[in-house]
């Protein structure tokens, strides 16, 4: 079995290579994430102000839907570039890794 | 059918009455939400820095699990105080409303 | 801490008492479940016949949505009858138990 | 835009080609599905016999977890064979299709 160091090296493509996202897609993702940060802050404020629980839960569901969309966007990009762009054994490893991530997303954590 | 105004009035218990959470529980929830805000900010930074997608997805799954916990905490408090504390028709309405919220949480948004 | 036996006794209302569902609701649930059984059998057949994976996955998503609906129906009935119909400590216990079930449904198992 | 007929033809690999699963994996999946069919039948019986709702919900969560596993197994096989085995435009189409399926699984239907 390779050392953790070695596995990490194989697993992570060099920066700026396959991982760099198209600037447009990256900007859109960053914007979504910034919006979510605001939504979470709003949820904190609602709790602080003793707002009606059901209204807070509705906001939480909205953030969950937004997180799912960001996750799908990243996964899509990852499948196309990092997984399909790889060859041989590395592609097998990355497919395993991607499927494990899909499993965590389905079970939520 | 009652006006939206009237429905809102029936639905929302007066502030500071049934909705006010025990200070301890509220503090714990607020702390969790503050931590999630930091996690989301971290996710934004990871995207900005072109970090490996799978690592970003792992963070997203962690926030989803944290959101589920906050949602369950609020739901629990709501069931105990706002739903069971109500009587007659109002209790029926609030149970309907709570079940709709559970459905949204199960479907995530 | 009470023995498992004792906990079980407190937890489960006597049969035919609070648990009996209204015949109409029960019939509707039973029909949904019978339909799901047919859907699952169909999924087995699709796999047997090497049908296109995406079509099988679409059927699986449909069964998941159907299971969620049955679960929500049972939960609704349970909240109204077994939880709210209980008093004092038993109500507290059943609320805990119901929230644990909601948590499992949110995390799917 | 191609006709529905044409799209179907592109989308679905010929039978016995990329879609045929390794007999071992297929047998394991078929076995899992058969077990789920029995679990669903058991759920129907529990409802019929007015069994305690929380126990029925626990069984439902177990089937959901089992369905997720079957779905992940199919998805994994599909990614490796049907998506990565494709070339050019067909690979793009199948990746889109696979990501849509992942989205449905995350939202459950």
């Amino acid at each position: 079995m390779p050392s953790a160091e070695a596995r990490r090296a194989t697993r992570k493509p060099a920066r700026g290579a396959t991982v760099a996202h198209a600037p447009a897609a990256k900007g859109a993702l960053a914007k979504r994430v910034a919006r979510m940060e605001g939504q979470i802050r709003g949820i904190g404020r609602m709790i602080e102000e003793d707002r009606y629980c059901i209204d807070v839960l509705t906001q939480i569901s909205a953030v969950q839907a937004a997180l799912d969309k960001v996750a799908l966007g990243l996964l899509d990009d990852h499948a196309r570039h990092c997984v399909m762009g790889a060859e041989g054994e590395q592609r097998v490893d990355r497919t395993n890794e991607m499927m494990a991530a899909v499993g965590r997303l389905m079970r939520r954590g």
Side-chain angles (χ1 to χ4, degrees), chain A:
Chain A
M1 220 188 105
S3 68
E5 208 31 82
R7 279 179 51 232
R8 199 177 163 83
T10 336
R11 225 186 74 202
K12 302 220 179 182
R15 264 248 240 126
T18 32
V19 168
H21 303 94
K26 195 172 136 175
L29 274 177
K31 218 178 271 182
R32 267 182 201 276
V33 173
R35 201 181 312 132
M36 278 197 293
E37 202 190 314
Q39 283 176 297
I40 299 271
R41 200 162 26 236
I43 289 169
R45 216 161 28 226
M46 289 175 90
I47 290 173
E48 208 54 54
E49 295 170 358
D50 285 328
R51 293 280 290 279
Y52 192 51
C53 305
I54 298 295
D55 295 339
V56 187
L57 290 173
T58 301
Q59 285 307 306
I60 289 178
S61 292
V63 178
Q64 283 173 328
L67 273 171
D68 279 356
K69 266 186 203 148
V70 170
L72 266 177
L74 285 167
L75 200 65
D76 183 275
D77 196 86
H78 185 68
R80 281 174 217 277
H81 302 115
C82 301
V83 182
M84 296 183 193
E87 297 290 336
E89 210 185 316
Q90 194 183 45
R91 188 148 91 178
V92 171
D93 287 350
R94 288 198 186 158
T95 306
N96 290 340
E97 185 189 55
M98 179 174 72
M99 288 301 153
V102 172
R104 284 192 297 273
L105 289 171
M106 284 170 65
R107 278 188 316 273
R108 308 192 212 185

